[in-house]
Amino acid sequence: MSEKENIEEIRLNGIEASPGICIGKAYLVDKEGVDVVEKYFIDKKNLDNELKRFKTAVKQAVNDLKQIIENIPKDVRNYTGIIETHVALLRDRKLYDKTIETIKTERVNAEWALKKVVAGIKVMFLSINDPYLKERSNDISYVSDRIMKILMGSEEVNIGKIDKRVILVAKDLSPADTSQIQLDKIMGFVTDRGGKTSHTGIIARTLEIPAVLGLGNATKIIHNDDTLIIDGSTGVVIVNPSERTLNKYKEIETREEEHKAHLTLESYFKAKTIDGFSLPVMGNIELPEEVPSVLNHGGDGIGLYRTEFQYLTRSDFPSEEELFDKYKTVVESIAPKPVTIRTLDINGDKALVSSNGFDEPNPALGLRAIRYCLERPEIFITQLKAILRAAAFGNVRILFPMISSIDEIRETKKYLNEAADLLEKEGKAYNKNIPFGIMIEVPSTVIMADAMADEADFFSIGTNDLIQYTLAIDRVNMGVAHLYQPFHPAILRMIKHVTDVCKAKGIKVFVCGEMAGDPLNVPVLLGLGIDELSMNSQSIPAVKNMIRSLKIEDTKKLMKEILKQTTTNDVIKLVEASFGNIISK
Ligand code: PEP
Ligand code: MG
């Protein structure tokens, strides 16, 4: 029996966060430690830079430790000895000189050289019998970790530098990590934490990367280079599959790709129900690079451009010019189709790299989105100016996230006017006559929908947060993922209330949360009276296909029955009995 046949196949179950099957090798990302270090070679012309990078990192580590010593209260100064030892160790010949020598002779990156040198020193220490000297091995780890963290920056492992095709396995991936992913390298995601509507899940779907999240302990079970099968549609991850399992999944993968290709062809046409009702099916994007994906999947425009990702991978704030440049690219490349630019929805599960050091106890209920922007007008106005300028180049709507009161809308308008006045003074081209929309994602906004409708040109229902805040279910907590139910009668009644208000007030209402992207939800949303749906681009073909199989009259009839139901299960049963056969076709 070969060694491979001896390895046992392991099946793990997690949350199906992004559909599709992929088969590949595991690449572990240990974001919370510095154990996983990549090796890459340094060109001769970049060698000096690499040496400088290492020296600067050591210098910073020395300064940091000196600062720590400074801050130790005078009466406990006798504890400074150990830290002074560490300062000395940072410059130790065996560590410092040897790392520099390794970078020079092996032409490798500083991280790799440091790791190699430290491993050598540790072996040496451990072979000594003296317990005191053995202990010193920990000091070496301490100081080298300090340098390593500085070298790697806040991201610690630079996902953007991975140079082979792999499946990422991580405890968690921040939006900053995922936004660095190179599509030609990363085949799939597997994480211990996160759920379907976590931003990792959303990005995975947008990038069309199969993902299974919330596995709990995948990083403990999976090793680097293990063969993995990810089935993002069922939430299954198979580690070291047998030949038989591999063949089975290869067949499913081929079948799925054929089906997808068929649906995509039809998706270029408008989505119209059998009885002639048509509605736009739009794409959600996080980055300008995703516009082609929306167009390739037949999107009728962009229903949600999440702009926060441009802020997440850096420690400063983007300038008006930088923002304008990206927005203009998106607006021009989708024109004459519309693009809905949503202002900064920062914090919550999308924290800035350089937050002010204050960890919010409940980030979802904290200084997020519009609340943050209203507290930081200079950042807000910079973005508003960039959006108004981009609006001069195509069909733009502006959308504000996490609105919870009329006061916030009014304050927002004040800043929007201020941004326009500044542009006027600066003599820059802009367009202020664009539809003004608010996200409906906080329960207070639903209750106040009639008054809110007088202040806005359109509503966009963010079901991800509306479910989170209404049902009190943390969208990234896998312990409560089973309670995250779009078909909860409370959610359906809230949406019905909002659509009734919009009809009475004569404004349009859209859905741009993940709920819009599941074909089984489509008859329900149509029956509820939604005017436009927006979703990750991959879902557009299947949703358009669903719309073409429906009669609007049937969805209205179904809705009357649905609104009488009092449990989620009863709603699901009713919808499946009426429309499930279309899905399984
Ligand atoms: C939502 O909450 O449904 C939404 C679309 O916004 P986000 O997922 O970015 O919070
Ligand atoms: Mg939201």
Side-chain angles (χ1 to χ4, degrees):
M1 209 184 251
S2 73
E3 198 187 322
K4 189 162 189 302
E5 281 161 348
N6 262 332
I7 302 173
E8 219 180 300
E9 170 176 310
I10 306 170
R11 199 182 170 88
L12 307 172
N13 289 299
I15 297 167
E16 66 282 16
S18 176
I21 288 175
C22 78
I23 302 170
K25 295 281 181 196
Y27 186 101
L28 265 88
V29 178
D30 182 1
K31 234 171 68 62
E32 279 155 351
V34 286
D35 295 343
V36 182
V37 171
E38 288 154 36
K39 177 182 185 178
Y40 51 95
F41 291 98
I42 306 292
D43 287 344
K44 201 171 175 194
K45 63 176 186 325
N46 289 324
L47 204 56
D48 282 346
N49 272 348
E50 195 62 14
L51 291 169
K52 196 166 156 207
R53 201 165 74 83
F54 176 69
K55 289 176 188 170
T56 313
V58 174
K59 204 166 171 187
Q60 189 185 325
V62 169
N63 288 344
D64 290 351
L65 287 182
K66 283 188 176 161
Q67 192 60 49
I68 291 170
I69 294 173
E70 277 297 311
N71 292 341
I72 293 177
K74 290 222 162 26
D75 48 348
V76 283
R77 271 288 157 94
N78 49 343
Y79 287 114
T80 58
I82 184 73
I83 307 178
E84 274 153 3
T85 313
H86 288 166
V87 174
L89 264 181
L90 282 165
R91 298 271 194 211
D92 188 276
R93 205 171 44 79
K94 281 191 213 64
L95 185 79
Y96 187 78
D97 292 1
K98 192 93 184 106
T99 304
I100 288 180
E101 190 189 311
T102 308
I103 298 173
K104 277 187 194 159
T105 54
E106 296 187 22
R107 296 262 186 86
V108 286
N109 54 317
E111 291 90 334
W112 186 261
L114 177 65
K115 184 182 160 136
K116 189 176 170 189
V117 168
V118 168
I121 299 175
K122 280 179 138 183
V123 169
M124 199 183 74
F125 269 119
L126 292 175
S127 62
I128 300 171
N129 261 339
D130 179 358
Y132 174 80
L133 284 180
K134 257 196 175 138
E135 237 341 271
R136 299 288 58 79
S137 146
N138 285 342
D139 294 335
I140 291 286
S141 301
Y142 179 84
V143 298
S144 62
D145 276 2
R146 195 164 263 282
I147 307 172
M148 195 70 93
K149 280 189 176 135
I150 296 169
L151 281 172
M152 289 179 162
S154 57
E155 294 309 313
E156 290 174 356
V157 171
N158 192 342
I159 293 172
K161 286 220 173 99
I162 294 175
D163 62 355
K164 50 187 175 184
R165 288 198 34 87
V166 291
I167 295 175
L168 277 191
V169 180
K171 288 198 175 80
D172 202 1
L173 290 167
S174 70
D177 294 329
T178 39
S179 62
Q180 287 179 45
I181 274 166
Q182 315 157 75
L183 284 175
D184 55 335
K185 297 288 182 313
I186 309 302
M187 304 160 72
F189 294 157
V190 171
T191 63
D192 289 346
R193 306 193 196 117
K196 205 167 178 168
T197 53
S198 69
H199 286 89
T200 306
I202 291 171
I203 293 188
R205 285 191 292 282
T206 309
L207 299 180
E208 299 186 38
I209 294 175
V212 178
L213 308 183
L215 281 148
N217 56 356
T219 50
K220 297 224 167 64
I221 296 166
I222 300 171
H223 302 99
N224 263 329
D225 277 337
D226 277 350
T227 301
L228 299 182
I229 297 175
I230 301 188
D231 184 346
S233 312
T234 57
V236 169
V237 174
I238 300 169
V239 190
N240 295 320
S242 67
E243 265 326 290
R244 212 166 139 227
T245 312
L246 257 179
N247 289 337
K248 182 180 131 196
Y249 273 91
K250 279 183 187 160
E251 265 174 42
I252 304 178
E253 194 182 14
T254 315
R255 257 204 323 271
E256 281 195 354
E257 272 168 13
E258 281 167 6
H259 181 62
K260 216 168 125 187
H262 171 70
L263 288 185
T264 305
L265 265 182
E266 291 187 343
S267 71
Y268 294 108
F269 304 104
K270 249 187 168 179
K272 211 183 240 181
T273 60
I274 296 167
D275 48 356
F277 174 83
S278 80
L279 82 167
V281 180
M282 320 273 276
N284 292 352
I285 65 163
E286 274 82 29
L287 305 163
E289 290 76 14
E290 294 158 30
V291 175
S293 172
V294 174
L295 292 170
N296 292 340
H297 287 88
D300 298 314
I302 292 166
L304 174 65
Y305 176 8
R306 291 183 169 98
T307 56
E308 40 280 4
F309 292 84
Q310 215 178 332
Y311 294 75
L312 293 173
T313 45
R314 51 196 290 166
S315 50
D316 57 350
F317 286 91
S319 66
E320 180 189 317
E321 271 330 291
E322 284 174 87
L323 295 171
F324 166 63
D325 192 47
K326 297 277 186 217
Y327 302 162
K328 182 169 168 271
T329 306
V330 171
V331 172
E332 284 186 327
S333 44
I334 200 96
K337 293 175 175 160
V339 50
T340 313
I341 306 183
R342 185 179 71 182
T343 59
L344 192 55
D345 185 358
I346 211 76
N347 292 336
D349 71 329
K350 291 172 283 192
L352 287 171
V353 171
S354 64
S355 62
N356 49 11
F358 166 66
D359 280 336
E360 294 190 289
N362 290 303
L365 305 180
L367 198 64
R368 184 187 158 182
I370 197 71
R371 301 170 180 184
Y372 178 87
C373 290
L374 295 177
E375 288 252 326
R376 302 287 305 267
E378 73 289 0
I379 292 164
F380 196 28
I381 288 178
T382 303
Q383 186 183 32
L384 295 174
K385 285 172 77 187
I387 296 172
L388 293 179
R389 285 174 65 192
F393 294 85
N395 186 352
V396 171
R397 312 155 169 171
I398 193 164
L399 178 63
F400 296 92
M402 222 190 156
I403 294 285
S404 62
S405 71
I406 294 277
D407 294 328
E408 283 168 345
I409 301 182
R410 296 196 177 144
E411 217 183 326
T412 295
K413 284 185 176 167
K414 190 187 86 188
Y415 287 123
L416 193 59
N417 288 333
E418 213 172 292
D421 290 347
L422 282 169
L423 290 170
E424 187 67 41
K425 275 194 206 119
E426 291 162 16
K428 293 176 182 158
Y430 70 98
N431 178 9
K432 196 185 151 191
N433 296 318
I434 54 175
F436 178 103
I438 61 165
M439 296 279 295
I440 304 288
E441 50 186 354
V442 179
S444 60
T445 320
V446 174
I447 293 168
M448 295 295 289
D450 55 340
M452 300 271 179
D454 292 336
E455 302 273 345
D457 300 315
F458 68 95
F459 285 170
S460 190
I461 305 178
T463 46
N464 306 339
D465 279 316
L466 187 61
I467 296 168
Q468 157 161 275
Y469 294 126
T470 304
L471 304 182
I473 306 297
D474 181 346
R475 62 195 263 187
V476 293
N477 182 342
M478 62 174 184
V480 288
H482 61 292
L483 298 172
Y484 194 95
Q485 299 161 347
F487 280 174
H488 190 295
I491 300 298
L492 299 178
R493 287 175 196 204
M494 284 176 118
I495 299 179
K496 180 70 167 69
H497 173 70
V498 174
T499 56
D500 284 349
V501 165
C502 287
K503 205 179 282 161
K505 296 277 183 178
I507 70 166
K508 297 264 188 213
V509 55
F510 314 144
V511 171
C512 65
E514 293 306 298
M515 188 178 178
D518 184 339
L520 195 59
N521 298 341
V522 171
V524 177
L525 293 172
L526 255 56
L528 283 165
I530 298 296
D531 297 302
E532 180 182 295
L533 299 171
S534 193
M535 63 209 61
N536 66 83
S537 55
Q538 279 187 86
S539 303
I540 295 171
V543 165
K544 282 196 162 182
N545 187 49
M546 181 55 146
I547 294 170
R548 291 195 187 100
S549 322
L550 298 170
K551 278 192 185 157
I552 194 80
E553 276 318 304
D554 293 343
T555 68
K556 300 274 177 217
K557 266 189 230 146
L558 171 78
M559 194 40 58
K560 286 206 181 98
E561 289 309 306
I562 282 180
L563 290 170
K564 289 180 196 156
Q565 307 305 314
T566 51
T567 72
T568 306
N569 269 343
D570 289 341
V571 175
I572 294 174
K573 270 191 226 150
L574 202 57
V575 178
E576 279 180 350
S578 312
F579 299 102
N581 61 328
I582 302 177
I583 305 277
S584 52
K585 256 187 208 166

